[in-house]
Amino acid sequence: MTPTAIRHSVCALDCPDTCSLLVNVDDGRGSRLRGDPAHPITQGFLCGKVAKYLDREYSPDRLLHPLRRVGAKGEGRFERVSWDAALDEIASRLGSTVTEHGPESILPYSYAGTMGMLQGSGMDRRFFHRLGASRLDRTICAAAGSAGLTATLGLRYGTEPEQFRHSKLIIAWGANILGTNVHLWPFIVDARRNGARFYVIDPVKNRTGALADKFFPVNPGSDLALALGLMHVIFRDQLEDADYLAQHTSGSDSLRALAAEYTPDRVAVWTGIAAADIEELAIEYATTRPAAIRVNYGVQRSDRGGSAVRAIAMLPAVTGSWKEIGGGLQLSTSQSFQFDRPSLERPDLQQLSSLGREARLVNMSGLGSALTSLNEPPVKALIVYNSNPAAIAPDQSKVREGLRREDLFTVVLEQFQTDTANFADIVLPVTTFLEHTDLYLAYGHYYIQMARPALPRPGEVRSNNEIFRDLAKRIGFTDSCFEESEDDMIRGLLQSGHRFLEGITLERLEREHFARLNVAGEGEAFLPFAKGNFGAPDGRARLDATGLAYTPPVESRQGDQLLRASYPLELITPKNDDSMNSTFGNRKGVDEQTASLWLHEEDATTRSIRTGDFVRIFNARGSLRLQAKVDGKVAPGVVMSPSVRWAKLAGDGKNTNILTSQRLTDVGGGPTFYSCLVQVEGCGD
Ligand SMILES: Nc1nc2c(c(=O)[nH]1)N[C@H]1C(S)=C(S)[C@@H](COP(=O)(O)OP(=O)(O)OC[C@H]3O[C@@H](n4cnc5c(=O)[nH]c(N)nc54)[C@H](O)[C@@H]3O)O[C@H]1N2
Ligand SMILES: Nc1nc2c(c(=O)[nH]1)N[C@H]1C(S)=C(S)[C@@H](COP(=O)(O)OP(=O)(O)OC[C@H]3O[C@@H](n4cnc5c(=O)[nH]c(N)nc54)[C@H](O)[C@@H]3O)O[C@H]1N2
Ligand code: SF4
Ligand SMILES: [Mo]
């Protein structure tokens, strides 16, 4: 036996923590996975879902060979074919599609199955740009919040996670820290040991809310009103930081005028939070030093979600909290990774395509419509990778109607036979993050990382990068960018010349595995906006309140009256503790959460529903069966089911996205997953 080798890797799942991993390898097989103790954020531990990732790596259900469909679309019957046969068929089908319908009739569909730069937006982007395919507007997760944050800060970064340990008041606003961002938790524990209070604003009292010093059960989609209410009290009581406002912000007069209308009494009606609690929270937030807000993407999955984030991001500018270590706000740190993205993605290649111009943008949150309505040109070929749209996209019946189209040629690059893979004409088996090279940014901290393959590949799997490189060749693209090695691509990304990347080279990452961006001197805290330096040309935070007035979401108890009469309950489908969107949906036990519907006692009693009963949950878009859980997690009028199961493993072949709509957010074109009216009734079995 050879001695155990310890290899470094990086967790590539779509999570703010982007953990640094150590993999024990015995005789070519991974035997243990753990968090790297040397990484300042990972701190030697992993979340429950990835601690068991080797089960997924070695699952007997891994896809190991290319497959061609033999049954009906969606049925899931396939035959094994060779790589050559599969890739030749794809190249020839794409070629004839371009000839018959133009290149824009080809649509790539991908999201964050891996957060790696190369496997997520490398050869794939080059290939589709060169082809002239439709461009995908990748809105499914964070578009509204990103637009809202950028509107205020002009940038998308904020407080370092390490600094939360210095806070005296931490507000988790639509952020399930223990479930989705667990590596922030140790810093919160430290802060609380030093006397900090921890407050949670969320319609669902999940594990994080249960541990809060105060829990504010906000009505779904009403956060914009709450933020304006807090600012009302802060301005009214003159608790704002007048110097900071004068020096580093613009438009505060208009904000002050709008906030004046948002009295705690009015805001209480919209938010369901008592006026006295709003008063107290505002005063505590403005007078506790330092106070930090962790706002996450839960806030922005509703009609006014972008504006809600925009308003929340104004709070630390109003109180001057950006000046303090342990103050400020964090939604995402992603924009601090100032890579040379055009060198990776090569949008300029579109000019060389047969289209000869920038291709149209198709919003991924409207996939159902894109596949089923009359567009010019219609979508005739769909290439899916890093995503499982048949499970995760809203308005599932429309998505499936589109995927079932006989005239749609669908290719799916996957590790497992997902709901979407069942609709494929060709399925291509791919590597996991433990098996390929990549460079990683993070959206919850400031460490850049690189990983080499830690484990040998099973079967015939290939990486996304290799597959698109090969397809480019078969289609006849001879551009030199398709010859570039992975190391060339990484070097290109790092050569942006931005000061945050200074001194960070492939060689250094090869040696050290991770490096803190040069956001501040070694050992120094990063205070991005202590002295202004916001992203707007004048360096100021934009507090102008144009368009910031609150209106309730269409699908809410304060929204459309007719809808509400038939469907009186607000459904939230937040992240599930044991999975990653649909990624672990085929793991045993995950369905325990995703097959359940939490109701308040009152709503259950009026419907004669008890814990354990099967219920039918429905609206005009669809219906499905779930099992009731009646406890204090949700307020009356709200029901909750963690997202999302593999629909094909459910008895009725559906998941909660059969209920969600394609309605888009106010800015950014994001989905409104968490504004969804439904009715619930007992099934009688
Ligand atoms: N375990 C686990 N971790 C994950 C994921 C996963 O699926 N499972 N997914 C990853 C991904 S893709 C993402 S984007 C991140 C997201 O991470 P989070 O944003 O933390 O996750 P969400 O569950 O979308 O929303 C967070 C909280 O917002 C609450 N919420 C819903 N509607 C509202 C509202 O209107 N107002 C307020 N104030 N709160 C609201 C939800 O109840 C939830 O508790 O997590 C990542 N990490
Ligand atoms: N109802 C409801 N729906 C939601 C949400 C919600 O909260 N509620 N959340 C939304 C959000 S925030 C997001 S981000 C989306 C997430 O939606 P998706 O991005 O589709 O995420 P996953 O369901 O995790 O599916 C990712 C797939 O990528 C595959 N994969 C992993 N690595 C690779 C690779 O290297 N190559 C290839 N080809 N495939 C790979 C995995 O096997 C997995 O099947 O879902 C959205 N849908
Ligand atoms: S999912 Fe997040 S917390 Fe879990 S190992 Fe990956 S990066 Fe770390
Ligand atoms: Mo997401």
Side-chain angles (χ1 to χ4, degrees):
M1 249 184 68
T2 46
T4 303
I6 297 177
R7 306 244 165 84
H8 285 262
S9 191
V10 174
C11 175
L13 297 188
D14 185 359
C15 168
D17 298 359
T18 319
C19 286
S20 177
L21 307 179
L22 297 178
V23 192
N24 286 16
V25 187
D26 287 296
D27 290 327
R29 201 179 156 87
S31 55
R32 184 177 171 206
L33 196 62
R34 65 201 147 105
D36 184 349
H39 190 285
I41 307 298
T42 308
Q43 296 196 48
F45 77 98
L46 300 177
C47 67
K49 43 199 187 294
V50 171
K52 298 176 291 196
Y53 194 86
L54 289 177
D55 297 351
R56 186 171 190 272
E57 174 74 17
Y58 295 118
S59 163
D61 298 331
R62 264 297 283 279
L63 291 169
L64 301 177
H65 309 283
L67 302 170
R68 179 195 283 131
R69 180 168 63 86
V70 292
K73 290 208 174 196
E75 191 188 330
R77 282 203 297 129
F78 291 87
E79 64 178 6
R80 183 172 162 183
V81 290
S82 70
W83 271 104
D84 272 337
L87 292 173
D88 281 342
E89 185 170 338
I90 296 168
S92 115
R93 282 295 293 263
L94 294 184
S96 60
T97 306
V98 171
T99 313
E100 283 170 44
H101 304 281
E104 283 176 309
S105 63
I106 297 170
L107 180 67
Y109 196 94
S110 74
Y111 201 65
T114 169
M115 295 233 306
M117 296 300 298
L118 304 194
Q119 310 301 343
S121 53
M123 286 295 172
D124 55 320
R125 302 297 161 95
R126 294 179 182 184
F127 175 72
F128 290 114
H129 286 145
R130 182 67 180 80
L131 202 56
S134 287
R135 290 173 303 142
L136 187 72
D137 197 3
R138 292 178 168 79
T139 56
I140 199 92
C141 169
S146 298
L149 192 70
T150 310
T152 299
L153 306 183
L155 283 166
R156 290 192 314 280
Y157 50 73
T159 306
E160 284 177 298
E162 298 94 314
Q163 286 185 40
F164 279 73
R165 68 155 67 95
H166 301 297
S167 302
K168 290 293 175 208
L169 173 65
I170 296 168
I171 301 178
W173 198 326
N176 180 7
I177 294 166
L178 278 171
T180 62
N181 177 202
V182 65
H183 291 84
L184 184 60
W185 191 250
F187 301 113
I188 296 175
V189 170
D190 273 1
R192 294 177 90 177
R193 261 194 216 119
N194 292 322
R197 279 154 293 148
F198 175 63
Y199 293 175
V200 172
I201 303 172
D202 199 307
V204 180
K205 197 167 192 175
N206 51 35
R207 288 193 289 155
T208 308
L211 288 176
D213 295 306
K214 270 193 203 165
F215 177 73
F216 300 87
V218 70
N219 284 337
S222 68
D223 303 272
L224 171 56
L226 182 57
L228 289 168
L230 297 178
M231 292 194 262
H232 175 97
V233 177
I234 293 170
F235 284 126
R236 185 198 65 196
D237 294 0
Q238 294 173 359
L239 299 174
E240 74 272 27
D241 183 332
D243 280 349
Y244 192 89
L245 283 174
Q247 285 179 41
H248 302 308
T249 72
S250 62
S252 64
D253 288 347
S254 85
L255 179 64
R256 192 186 295 264
L258 181 70
E261 299 170 24
Y262 287 76
T263 60
D265 284 333
R266 272 183 91 200
V267 171
V269 176
W270 281 311
T271 59
I273 297 172
D277 290 338
I278 296 169
E279 295 258 355
E280 212 179 313
L281 177 61
I283 293 168
E284 266 191 86
Y285 173 67
T287 57
T288 308
R289 299 282 146 155
I293 298 175
R294 171 58 164 138
V295 54
N296 212 333
Y297 289 109
V299 165
Q300 48 102 64
R301 302 192 213 285
S302 68
D303 304 29
R304 299 306 309 283
S307 299
V309 170
R310 182 178 151 208
I312 293 167
M314 291 176 179
L315 282 162
V318 171
T319 61
S321 160
W322 287 116
K323 294 188 298 198
E324 292 150 5
I325 295 179
L329 167 143
Q330 192 207 106
L331 172 64
S332 170
T333 58
S334 63
Q335 213 183 356
S336 60
F337 295 81
Q338 291 279 350
F339 297 129
D340 184 352
R341 280 174 184 263
S343 91
L344 180 68
E345 302 182 1
R346 298 293 307 273
D348 57 297
L349 291 172
Q350 290 176 101
Q351 305 301 330
L352 300 179
S353 72
S354 58
L355 195 66
R357 58 168 166 81
E358 194 167 72
R360 71 174 170 187
L361 256 186
V362 175
N363 187 337
M364 73 186 299
S365 303
L367 180 66
S369 292
L371 295 181
T372 56
S373 50
L374 291 170
N375 295 309
E376 197 43 56
V379 177
K380 287 286 188 180
L382 181 72
I383 318 294
V384 181
Y385 53 104
N386 300 340
S387 185
N388 183 11
I392 63 84
D395 201 357
Q396 190 164 91
S397 48
K398 276 271 179 277
V399 173
R400 285 167 181 247
E401 186 187 324
L403 291 173
R404 267 194 298 269
R405 270 175 42 204
E406 274 309 323
D407 65 327
L408 179 74
F409 177 64
T410 303
V411 179
V412 176
L413 284 65
E414 252 303 346
Q415 297 158 347
F416 287 88
Q417 190 66 32
T418 58
D419 288 329
T420 310
N422 269 16
F423 289 92
D425 292 284
I426 306 265
V427 178
L428 300 176
V430 298
T431 43
T432 67
F433 60 83
L434 293 171
E435 299 158 5
H436 54 230
T437 292
D438 221 325
L439 181 74
Y440 295 93
L441 52 64
Y443 64 95
H445 59 71
Y446 289 95
Y447 290 83
I448 181 174
Q449 300 175 87
M450 191 179 80
R452 295 294 189 192
L455 296 175
R457 299 170 173 200
E460 296 183 296
V461 299
R462 296 185 185 174
S463 73
N464 293 344
N465 222 51
E466 291 156 4
I467 293 168
F468 287 106
R469 189 200 299 280
D470 189 323
L471 278 174
K473 277 210 188 95
R474 278 176 213 250
I475 273 195
F477 299 149
T478 51
D479 315 73
S480 60
C481 69
F482 294 111
E483 304 290 335
E484 264 188 10
S485 70
E486 289 175 329
D487 287 10
D488 293 338
M489 293 166 84
I490 291 175
R491 287 199 177 93
L493 276 168
L494 294 173
Q495 271 163 13
S496 67
H498 194 278
R499 66 189 162 89
F500 286 178
L501 287 173
E502 219 174 85
I504 299 177
T505 60
L506 179 138
E507 289 69 25
R508 178 169 163 208
L509 291 172
E510 189 96 75
R511 235 178 16 250
E512 299 174 13
H513 312 292
F514 58 83
R516 186 181 184 225
L517 296 176
N518 292 310
V519 288
E522 208 182 317
E524 268 175 37
F526 176 38
L527 289 172
F529 310 124
K531 300 192 176 109
N533 289 320
F534 291 96
D538 62 2
R540 290 166 181 259
R542 280 176 296 218
L543 305 191
D544 181 332
T546 310
L548 213 55
Y550 177 68
T551 44
V554 174
E555 293 198 36
S556 68
R557 282 164 293 163
Q558 291 159 343
D560 186 273
Q561 282 193 27
L562 268 176
L563 268 177
R564 197 173 70 200
S566 308
Y567 309 114
L569 300 171
E570 294 183 61
L571 169 69
I572 299 177
T573 50
K575 304 307 183 199
N576 126 35
D577 284 347
D578 303 328
S579 186
M580 177 60 65
N581 303 305
S582 74
T583 292
F584 297 101
N586 53 340
R587 180 185 264 170
K588 233 179 146 202
V590 166
D591 267 4
E592 219 172 287
Q593 284 197 18
T594 53
S596 300
L597 181 74
W598 272 263
L599 301 104
H600 187 268
E601 180 87 51
E602 243 172 56
D603 294 317
T605 310
T606 54
R607 291 168 177 79
S608 308
I609 292 166
R610 280 182 303 198
T611 290
D613 289 355
F614 284 99
V615 296
R616 193 169 84 88
I617 170 167
F618 61 98
N619 59 23
R621 290 176 290 270
S623 87
L624 83 157
R625 226 168 85 110
L626 294 171
Q627 202 168 9
K629 286 214 157 69
V630 182
D631 69 10
K633 267 202 180 112
V634 290
V638 178
V639 294
M640 188 273 289
S641 178
S643 62
V644 291
R645 67 196 304 198
W646 274 25
K648 67 177 180 178
L649 299 183
D652 55 8
K654 297 182 262 191
N655 73 21
T656 44
N657 278 323
I658 203 90
L659 303 165
T660 55
S661 79
Q662 294 184 65
R663 204 175 61 257
L664 300 179
T665 50
D666 47 358
V667 288
T672 52
F673 285 118
Y674 301 170
S675 289
C676 177
L677 283 175
V678 296
Q679 179 58 293
V680 175
E681 61 186 24
C683 279
D685 55 356

